[in-house]
């Protein structure tokens, strides 16, 4: 068995380009970008609005496809997948954490976390076990029957993280996961993300505008106009 140091990277982007038409203009938010992310790494992406951060996150999560280059994640070249293949791959391999949680207001925390499993062939008992494990992991076992309006912002984000974790994906992508939280709640969320890397071997790619949030990561990359301009190791 390979040791972590000799394992292939979780993410390898080579010459990734993303272009689309906006009226008569061709917009290219990412152009010939190369990126390697190690297995079990916590990477933060920073840069001004319009720099291509969210575009890159959407490509890494299989929400969108590149128009050029290759994108290999966990040994699979997802840049060659069609829409159906991407949807299936995404459900098994990626958990997406949003800034504004995207919880269904009328559902309990348990039901929100269960949503990604409802289309799976898992029996009800196994679904319940997975949901309870995910909520326990984020410290919300005692709030599983509460709806979002009965939770704090930090608790809502933890429900969203549990939902991202419930299918046990190797890769988590997070788009400004602390952007809507107060400083104390943000610190708790960053500690949770850090523990998912250190204790559970997850690979995390996080977009953030907050230098303090980025400092929780192992590495910080800066994007500007679709290019990686600077790389630094986060100081924790």
């Amino acid at each position: 068995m390979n040791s972590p140091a000799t394992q292939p990277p979780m993410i390898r982007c080579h010459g990734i380009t993303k272009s689309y038409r906006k009226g008569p203009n061709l917009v290219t938010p990412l152009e010939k970008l190369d990126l390697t992310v190690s297995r079990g790494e916590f990477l933060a992406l920073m840069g001004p609005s319009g720099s291509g951060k969210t575009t890159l996150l959407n490509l890494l999560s299989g929400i969108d496809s590149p128009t050029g280059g290759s994108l290999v994640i966990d040994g699979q070249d997802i840049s060659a997948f069609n829409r159906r293949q991407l949807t299936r791959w995404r459900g098994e391999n990626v958990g997406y954490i949003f800034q504004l949680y995207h919880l269904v207001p009328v559902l309990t925390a348990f039901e929100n976390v269960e949503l990604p499993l409802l289309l799976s062939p898992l029996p009800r008992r196994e679904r319940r076990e997975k949901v309870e494990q995910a909520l326990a992991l984020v410290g919300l076992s005692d709030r599983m029957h509460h709806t979002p309006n009965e939770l704090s912002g930090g608790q809502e984000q933890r429900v969203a993280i549990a939902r991202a974790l419930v299918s046990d994906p190797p890769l988590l992508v997070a788009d400004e996961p602390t952007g809507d939280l107060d400083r104390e709640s943000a610190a708790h969320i960053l500690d949770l993300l850090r523990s998912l890397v250190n204790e559970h071997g997850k690979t995390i790619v996080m977009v953030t505008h907050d230098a303090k949030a980025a400092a929780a990561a192992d590495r910080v990359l800066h994007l500007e106009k679709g290019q990686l301009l600077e790389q630094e190791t986060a100081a924790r």
Side-chain angles (χ1 to χ4, degrees):
M1 182 179 295
N2 290 335
S3 68
T6 61
Q7 286 182 355
M10 174 61 71
I11 298 169
R12 190 187 297 277
C13 303
H14 179 68
I16 285 293
T17 297
K18 179 61 183 180
S19 300
Y20 59 89
R21 286 283 174 186
K22 189 173 183 180
N25 301 315
L26 182 67
V27 179
T28 304
L30 294 176
E31 187 169 10
K32 295 181 180 178
L33 182 143
D34 294 335
L35 171 65
T36 299
V37 181
S38 299
R39 203 171 295 269
E41 182 178 7
F42 187 175
L43 172 67
L45 294 172
M46 300 190 74
S49 296
S51 62
K53 302 185 304 298
T54 298
T55 298
L56 179 56
L57 214 60
N58 288 342
L59 295 179
L60 296 179
S61 62
I63 290 176
D64 204 353
S65 299
T67 48
S70 66
L71 175 52
V72 178
I73 299 183
D74 204 13
Q76 300 184 75
D77 186 356
I78 69 168
S79 54
F81 286 2
N82 60 34
R83 280 288 173 194
R84 179 175 292 183
Q85 290 171 318
L86 269 180
T87 298
R88 181 175 179 178
W89 174 86
R90 186 169 62 245
E92 297 173 351
N93 293 278
V94 183
Y96 205 117
I97 303 166
F98 301 91
Q99 176 180 351
L100 297 178
Y101 326 134
H102 288 195
L103 302 180
V104 180
V106 298
L107 300 182
T108 64
F110 182 98
E111 291 165 336
N112 270 284
V113 174
E114 187 184 28
L115 281 175
L117 301 179
L118 291 179
L119 295 179
S120 74
L122 286 175
R124 183 176 180 181
R125 173 194 248 175
E126 287 186 41
R127 289 204 313 269
R128 171 172 286 278
E129 288 175 356
K130 285 182 175 292
V131 172
E132 290 176 349
Q133 288 169 2
L135 285 167
L137 191 60
V138 301
L140 286 179
S141 294
D142 61 335
R143 309 291 283 178
M144 68 172 64
H145 300 303
H146 290 70
T147 55
N149 67 353
E150 298 173 314
L151 303 173
S152 68
Q155 289 172 331
E156 287 185 88
Q157 187 61 290
R158 282 193 276 162
V159 172
I161 293 172
R163 182 183 56 197
L165 287 170
V166 72
S167 59
D168 196 23
L171 174 63
L172 299 175
V173 296
D175 194 357
E176 297 281 0
T178 62
D180 202 45
L181 300 176
D182 62 70
R183 182 58 61 187
E184 182 179 358
S185 297
H188 288 317
I189 293 301
L190 291 168
D191 286 344
L192 174 58
L193 295 178
R194 184 75 251 168
S195 72
L196 293 174
V197 173
N198 292 348
E199 299 170 23
H200 300 277
K202 301 299 181 184
T203 303
I204 297 179
V205 179
M206 174 181 70
V207 160
T208 183
H209 284 97
D210 185 351
K212 290 184 178 179
D218 300 313
R219 188 164 52 120
V220 182
L221 297 181
H222 294 259
L223 267 169
E224 189 164 332
K225 296 181 179 178
Q227 292 291 315
L228 291 170
L229 299 182
E230 180 182 342
Q231 178 172 329
E232 65 187 54
T233 300
R236 294 196 307 278

